[in-house]
Amino acid sequence: MTISDPISYECVSETGSTNSDLLERIRKEGLSHTVVLRALRQTQGRGTRGRTWSGNVDCLMFSVAIPIGNNLQIMSGITLAIGAHVVLALRKRGINAEVKWPNDILLNGKKLAGILVESAKAPNHQYSLVIGIGFNLKIQNCSSDYGHASLSDVGLPTMDFDAQYWLSILVDGILESVREVNNCGLGPTVALWDKIMAYKNQAVLIFEEEEAPYEATLVGIDSKGHLLVRSDNGIKTLISGTISLRLKK
Ligand code: BTN
């Protein structure tokens, strides 16, 4: 698999969900190359855990569809690699973002961006990833349990709110993360997370399905991208899906 050019860029004035649009296209027609779809307005945007993410031009909302053939291995941990590369791309531009496991992008402890990673199978049985990002350029009302941040909090010059600029930076970060996981597995991601993980070595509350929340200290991620926490019973490995966490106040 080669993650490279050509890339088609498309922009629509309004849609329900850019992720849903690309998933549907892949299921109907397949995907021959990477497609980036941006919507200026999203009315039925979807987030993780059944959350919604709708908005207007104050939020950069787009999805990237990347053909991965039959390389399903790449899916394991890819969401962590994408979060890490998004943070890296922002830090290179002076924005001191962090990633909260598994992939909320935080700025000063509040949510700056959300990432939704999905996949679809084409009629020719080839798979594609669909990676959707909602990135707050200015104050937005997107779903978050711990408040919203936006680029406007950083005091950037007005020109730096240029959505096209941030789009190309974030798309580059996404493509780099998929290339990296394809070529090297999750090793580089684990090393990156050590530097950019929100709440590392801090006390958090862990919420597991059908269990009372419990306190633990955030340790890091393991080689498979699972979360490592230390509680009274020692180090515990937690698998994404049914787990969520919150900083203990
Ligand atoms: C989250 O819950 O944090 C993930 C939010 C992802 C939102 C983006 S906006 C563009 C793309 N289209 C969608 O329907 N969702 C993603």
Side-chain angles (χ1 to χ4, degrees):
M1 185 187 62
T2 335
I3 314 289
S4 58
D5 295 339
I7 303 175
S8 302
Y9 280 85
E10 302 172 16
C11 183
V12 292
S13 55
E14 179 172 324
T15 191
S17 154
T18 52
N19 261 46
S20 300
D21 291 350
L22 289 178
L23 289 171
E24 195 186 321
R25 191 186 302 182
I26 293 159
R27 287 181 190 127
K28 272 194 193 146
E29 311 163 7
L31 190 76
S32 59
H33 62 280
T34 298
V35 174
V36 178
L37 174 63
R38 178 183 172 210
L40 302 182
R41 207 177 133 77
Q42 198 172 240
T43 53
Q44 291 173 308
R46 297 183 290 107
T48 50
R49 300 169 195 277
R51 289 181 293 204
T52 58
W53 193 298
S54 299
N56 58 28
V57 285
D58 287 345
C59 183
L60 171 63
M61 294 165 295
F62 67 95
S63 303
V64 186
I66 305 172
I68 58 165
N70 287 309
N71 186 0
L72 296 183
Q73 244 172 286
I74 205 172
M75 315 254 288
S76 154
I78 190 75
T79 185
L80 300 171
I82 294 165
H85 278 273
V86 165
V87 165
L88 208 59
L90 294 173
R91 288 198 177 186
K92 279 186 190 155
R93 275 90 193 170
I95 296 164
N96 198 21
E98 296 176 306
V99 60
K100 172 180 170 282
W101 189 86
N103 65 4
D104 280 349
I105 308 298
L106 305 188
L107 180 65
N108 303 327
K110 295 180 180 169
K111 188 153 167 174
L112 176 67
I115 304 172
L116 177 65
V117 181
E118 299 181 293
S119 62
K121 189 178 173 184
N124 65 359
H125 305 289
Q126 302 294 295
Y127 289 85
S128 293
L129 288 175
V130 175
I131 299 145
I133 296 198
F135 179 69
N136 294 333
L137 297 171
K138 299 184 188 164
I139 289 299
Q140 261 286 309
N141 276 329
C142 49
S143 62
S144 163
D145 302 334
Y146 32 86
H148 313 109
S150 73
L151 279 191
S152 54
D153 302 336
V154 193
L156 291 172
T158 325
M159 56 172 269
D160 284 349
F161 292 107
D162 178 26
Q164 220 46 42
Y165 169 77
W166 293 105
L167 178 67
S168 95
I169 283 167
L170 295 173
V171 169
D172 283 353
I174 289 171
L175 295 177
E176 182 52 33
S177 61
V178 177
R179 255 184 237 119
E180 186 183 87
V181 173
N182 185 49
N183 297 337
C184 318
L186 274 186
T189 299
V190 175
L192 258 177
W193 266 73
D194 200 43
K195 301 189 187 92
I196 59 168
M197 182 182 210
Y199 314 155
K200 191 172 155 64
N201 297 324
Q202 294 185 57
V204 292
L205 284 176
I206 306 284
F207 298 83
E208 285 192 60
E209 228 170 38
E210 290 170 16
E211 265 191 51
Y214 61 91
E215 191 181 324
T217 304
L218 216 50
V219 173
I221 59 170
D222 71 6
S223 58
K224 292 190 174 122
H226 302 149
L227 185 68
L228 297 174
V229 298
R230 191 182 311 107
S231 68
D232 294 343
N233 305 324
I235 298 276
K236 198 170 167 184
T237 306
L238 303 173
I239 300 172
S240 184
T242 58
I243 308 280
S244 65
L245 61 92
R246 192 177 299 161
L247 187 63
K248 186 168 180 293
K249 291 193 179 131

